[in-house]
Amino acid sequence: MRRTKNLSKRKWFILFGNPAIYFLMGTTNAGTKEPLALLEEALQGGITHFQLREKGRGALTGDALAEFAAECKGLCREYGVPIFINDDVELACTIEADGIHIGQDDMDCGQVRKQIGASMALGVSVHSVKEANEALTCGATYLGMGPVFGTRTKSDAKPPAGVAEIIKVKTQYPHVPVIGIGGIEPGNAEMVWRAGVSGIAVISSIAGAQDVAGQIERFKQSIPGRRVG
Ligand code: TZP
Ligand code: MG
């Protein structure tokens, strides 16, 4: 359902109040579909969070990227879904995104927090309790952890880590939102939820689905306690 909500008034601490189906996409993940049409299908299907992750051969840059990002933000606003920008502080600030997501190896997280100020959400990818501690000390709002399973979407992904480290991080920091990522599909998502994540982040299993809304519904059904039948 399309609805308009002023997310600028929304504080980051309620960003992960309910189980999140966090869709990541860039123009290079859209296959034969028109990227904005794919994003709208996903929004209609009920994704709860969106991250613009523009990577790989043929990725947009410069003005074309800024224009695309602004269009993505406009669509996300219509559906009341927060938009995050991957790795690009300037772009996140230009379009006044709700958040930015960075890899710990990509940028200095403390520096990014200074640049974006206190009100923009900051997601940081981590792989251990030690890295989680560093990210939280720098002002991370939530943590991304993965790849949980094997993935072909990220060329420099580390080996699949399963859910063991997620469980350790959640044991140490029970109130910090952790999002699992990497190779997550409806059929393997349940063990990620059971590790205590606040959400699952997905690229190919949603972007490549014939029936995007149906696939998102399958992800929703994978949430323990939300299963029907
Ligand atoms: N970070 C760790 S794995 C990954 C990222 C961005 C790619 C996830 O893509 P997919 O297609 O859902 O496995
Ligand atoms: Mg990165």
Side-chain angles (χ1 to χ4, degrees):
M1 187 201 296
R2 195 181 280 235
R3 61 204 155 95
T4 303
K5 201 187 262 182
N6 183 355
L7 288 174
S8 62
K9 295 217 175 78
R10 187 171 178 169
K11 297 286 189 235
W12 57 258
F13 54 78
I14 57 156
L15 272 180
F16 295 101
N18 292 315
I21 308 289
Y22 188 152
F23 179 46
L24 284 69
M25 190 202 84
T27 56
T28 61
N29 303 118
T32 56
K33 287 187 177 166
E34 204 281 304
L36 285 175
L38 171 60
L39 173 57
E40 184 147 29
E41 264 188 86
L43 289 163
Q44 278 169 354
I47 59 164
T48 61
H49 296 67
F50 173 66
Q51 183 184 128
L52 173 56
R53 181 176 178 276
E54 185 67 9
K55 302 263 185 202
R57 232 171 107 219
L60 300 176
T61 56
D63 288 349
L65 174 57
E67 198 177 310
F68 180 66
E71 286 171 328
C72 289
K73 181 185 166 185
L75 263 184
C76 286
R77 282 287 179 272
E78 287 179 32
Y79 290 84
V81 164
I83 179 169
F84 297 73
I85 302 292
N86 184 279
D87 276 355
D88 190 333
V89 176
E90 200 185 318
L91 182 58
C93 292
T94 303
I95 69 154
E96 297 183 5
D98 300 295
I100 178 156
H101 188 98
I102 60 167
Q104 228 173 20
D105 306 335
D106 299 323
M107 278 176 225
D108 180 83
C109 152
Q111 189 58 39
V112 172
R113 174 49 86 199
K114 274 195 200 124
Q115 285 174 264
I116 62 176
S119 61
M120 191 182 285
L122 171 60
V124 181
S125 298
V126 303
H127 307 91
S128 64
V129 172
K130 182 173 173 286
E131 289 185 7
N133 181 274
E134 286 164 7
L136 294 168
T137 305
C138 294
T141 312
Y142 76 93
L143 306 173
M145 291 191 73
V148 178
F149 307 109
T151 177
R152 282 194 279 174
T153 310
K154 182 174 159 73
S155 53
D156 60 348
K158 295 185 193 298
V163 294
E165 289 300 317
I166 294 179
I167 292 170
K168 285 186 202 163
V169 168
K170 283 302 298 183
T171 304
Q172 190 77 20
Y173 302 105
H175 303 299
V176 172
V178 172
I179 306 295
I181 187 166
I184 302 179
E185 298 173 358
N188 62 21
E190 185 176 339
M191 70 178 279
V192 190
W193 293 116
R194 291 203 183 279
V197 295
S198 294
I200 52 169
V202 178
I203 303 179
S204 54
S205 185
I206 291 178
Q210 282 286 5
D211 173 11
V212 168
Q215 188 74 333
I216 293 164
E217 181 54 32
R218 283 187 276 281
F219 276 114
K220 295 204 163 174
Q221 297 297 322
S222 75
I223 302 168
R226 299 265 303 252
R227 193 184 295 272
V228 290

